[in-house]
């Protein structure tokens, strides 16, 4: 959905500018909390601690949303709003926070605003890295980055919680990439994996799906490709047009091993260790 079409979003019965709320939403996911206090009030907080940069940015975002009943306390902004608080409370706690579905596919503009809020709150703007203790939130951020026209990598990290037991804490870092849009598979990352069982191939209408392995995600297609290489050995130029129909393929399923296989003929592509792309010859 493009924000130019859906300019506003209704949250807890109130309309907000979609892009502005997405940025606030990202800031809150990183630095915010929402809870019902012992006083019966519904509290919303945005922590800035001692960072002047965050104090100025969060104040600007709240003003754009029309949230003016806020108090600036020692550690950040604090205000009461029952409806918005209940909506925000439905996000789990620190280690199981997530992004709600309506923001997972809201168009490029909204996705980029959401990422901006996330990086501004619990991220590093220089490395474009977002940190969280929630595996689910890290997965959501990776999907949002792809919807924003970017790419990202999720890494699991560990840190020691100082104390008597020195607890090992697991966290996640999402590195957002603005330039490297194509996945790289250098030979050093190739490996042979022993496997026994069935191999399945996904079938979709457009043959494209989103997959991830070891934290690296990409858009991919069917597992097999058939390449037809055409050579011109004459001095005359040759042209090939789409839909011309230049060959016919026949597939046969054999129950027994044939007398002569491609391996027996020692074809040039047998036992290849890398992808052999098609070549264009003049």
């Amino acid at each position: 959905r493009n924000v130019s079409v859906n300019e506003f979003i209704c949250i807890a019965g109130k309309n907000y500018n979609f892009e502005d709320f997405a940025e606030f939403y990202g800031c809150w996911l990183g630095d915010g909390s929402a809870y019902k206090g012992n006083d019966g009030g519904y509290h919303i907080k945005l922590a800035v601690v001692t960072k002047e940069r965050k104090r100025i940015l969060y104040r600007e975002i709240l003003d754009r949303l029309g949230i003016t009943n806020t108090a600036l306390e020692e550690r950040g902004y604090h205000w009461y709003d029952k409806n918005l608080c209940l909506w925000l409370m439905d996000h789990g706690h620190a280690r199981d926070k997530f992004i709600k579905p309506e923001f997972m596919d809201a168009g490029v503009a909204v996705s980029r605003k959401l990422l901006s809020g996330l990086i501004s709150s619990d991220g590093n703007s220089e490395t474009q890295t977002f940190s969280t203790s929630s595996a689910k939130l890290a997965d959501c951020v990776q999907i949002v980055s792809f919807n924003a026209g970017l790419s990202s990598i999720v890494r699991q990290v560990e840190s020691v919680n100082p104390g008597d037991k020195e607890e090992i804490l697991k966290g996640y870092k999402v590195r957002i990439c603005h330039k490297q849009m194509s996945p790289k598979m250098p030979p050093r990352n190739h490996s042979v994996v022993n496997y026994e069982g069935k191999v399945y191939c996904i079938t979709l209408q457009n043959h494209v799906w989103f997959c991830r392995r070891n934290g690296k995600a990409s858009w991919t297609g069917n597992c097999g490709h058939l390449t037809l290489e055409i050579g011109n050995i004459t001095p005359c130029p040759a042209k090939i047009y789409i839909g011309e129909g230049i060959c016919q393929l026949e597939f046969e399923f054999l129950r027994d091993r044939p007398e002569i296989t491609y391996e027996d003929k020692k074809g040039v592509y047998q036992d290849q260790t890398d992808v052999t792309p098609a070549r264009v010859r003049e």
Side-chain angles (χ1 to χ4, degrees), residues 6-21:
N6 298 286
E7 186 177 356
F8 297 94
I9 184 171
C10 183
I11 300 293
K14 184 176 180 180
N15 288 327
Y16 296 94
N17 178 276
F18 211 151
E19 290 187 32
D20 290 338
F21 192 89

Side-chain angles (χ1 to χ4, degrees), residues 199-211 219-226:
V199 177
Y200 296 89
C201 185
I202 299 174
T203 300
L204 297 175
Q205 185 175 4
N206 61 354
H207 305 286
V208 177
W209 65 87
F210 187 74
C211 71
W219 295 106
T220 186
N222 287 99
C223 57
H225 295 276
L226 182 64

Side-chain angles (χ1 to χ4, degrees), residues 3 9 57 72 85 98 107 111 140 142 144 149 152 158 161 163 179 192 207 211 235 239-240 242 260 266 281:
V3 73
I9 184 171
L57 175 64
L72 179 58
C85 181
F98 62 94
S111 297
C140 290
Q142 186 172 50
V144 170
S152 61
E158 293 183 350
N161 184 24
K179 295 182 179 180
V192 177
H207 305 286
C211 71
K239 293 184 178 180
I240 300 174
I242 296 176
I260 299 177
K266 301 185 184 303
R281 298 177 179 174

Side-chain angles (χ1 to χ4, degrees), residues 21-36:
F21 192 89
E23 189 172 10
F24 159 76
Y25 187 36
C27 294
W28 181 86
L29 285 168
D31 278 338
S33 60
Y35 60 93
K36 183 178 180 180

Side-chain angles (χ1 to χ4, degrees), residues 6-272:
N6 298 286
E7 186 177 356
F8 297 94
I9 184 171
C10 183
I11 300 293
K14 184 176 180 180
N15 288 327
Y16 296 94
N17 178 276
F18 211 151
E19 290 187 32
D20 290 338
F21 192 89
E23 189 172 10
F24 159 76
Y25 187 36
C27 294
W28 181 86
L29 285 168
D31 278 338
S33 60
Y35 60 93
K36 183 178 180 180
N38 294 330
D39 58 355
Y42 291 83
H43 302 251
I44 303 175
K45 291 186 176 182
L46 267 180
V48 300
V49 192
T50 58
K51 294 185 177 180
E52 182 71 7
R53 172 187 59 81
K54 286 187 178 182
R55 186 188 68 80
I56 295 174
L57 175 64
Y58 292 175
R59 179 70 270 164
E60 177 189 336
I61 295 173
L62 293 173
D63 286 344
R64 279 190 267 125
L65 291 173
I67 300 176
T68 56
N69 59 326
T70 56
L72 179 58
E73 300 175 348
E74 181 180 358
R75 296 184 62 85
Y77 293 99
H78 178 205
W79 71 99
Y80 299 87
D81 186 325
K82 180 178 179 179
N83 291 331
L84 181 57
C85 181
L86 289 173
W87 187 87
L88 293 171
M89 286 172 61
D90 189 28
H91 282 79
H93 299 287
R95 293 193 173 277
D96 55 5
K97 275 187 175 181
F98 62 94
I99 296 175
K100 289 204 170 185
E102 53 264 45
F103 287 86
M104 295 293 289
D105 187 20
V108 174
V110 172
S111 297
R112 293 205 173 197
K113 280 290 186 179
L114 177 54
L115 289 176
S116 175
L118 290 164
I119 294 295
S120 298
S121 60
D122 227 355
N124 186 317
S125 59
E126 292 184 3
T127 62
Q128 287 294 293
T129 303
F130 175 73
S131 302
T132 178
S133 59
S134 169
K136 192 172 183 179
L137 180 56
D139 289 346
C140 290
V141 174
Q142 186 172 50
I143 294 174
V144 170
S145 69
F146 273 79
N147 289 336
L150 308 173
S151 62
S152 61
I153 297 173
V154 177
R155 293 188 295 111
Q156 182 174 317
V157 295
E158 293 183 350
S159 60
V160 178
N161 184 24
D164 296 335
K165 298 182 179 180
E166 292 190 348
E167 180 186 7
I168 302 297
L169 300 178
K170 292 184 178 181
Y172 302 87
K173 289 186 178 292
V174 186
R175 173 70 181 274
I176 300 172
C177 309
H178 292 255
K179 295 182 179 180
Q180 180 57 43
M181 296 295 105
S182 300
K184 292 183 177 180
M185 294 295 292
R188 67 176 181 273
N189 293 336
H190 298 178
S191 62
V192 177
V193 180
N194 293 326
Y195 177 79
E196 182 177 352
K198 293 184 177 180
V199 177
Y200 296 89
C201 185
I202 299 174
T203 300
L204 297 175
Q205 185 175 4
N206 61 354
H207 305 286
V208 177
W209 65 87
F210 187 74
C211 71
R212 183 178 69 179
R213 181 177 176 82
N214 297 329
K216 297 182 180 180
S218 66
W219 295 106
T220 186
N222 287 99
C223 57
H225 295 276
L226 182 64
T227 301
L228 176 65
E229 184 175 341
I230 301 171
N232 180 17
I233 61 174
T234 72
C236 302
K239 293 184 178 180
I240 300 174
Y241 300 94
I242 296 176
E244 188 174 7
I246 59 175
C247 69
Q248 182 176 349
L249 301 177
E250 180 179 345
F251 296 91
E252 297 182 359
F253 296 88
L254 304 177
R255 290 179 298 179
D256 301 319
R257 190 179 189 276
E259 293 182 0
I260 299 177
T261 67
Y262 193 78
E263 181 180 6
D264 297 329
K265 299 177 67 173
K266 301 185 184 303
V268 295
Y269 297 115
Q270 195 67 32
D271 296 328
Q272 59 182 357

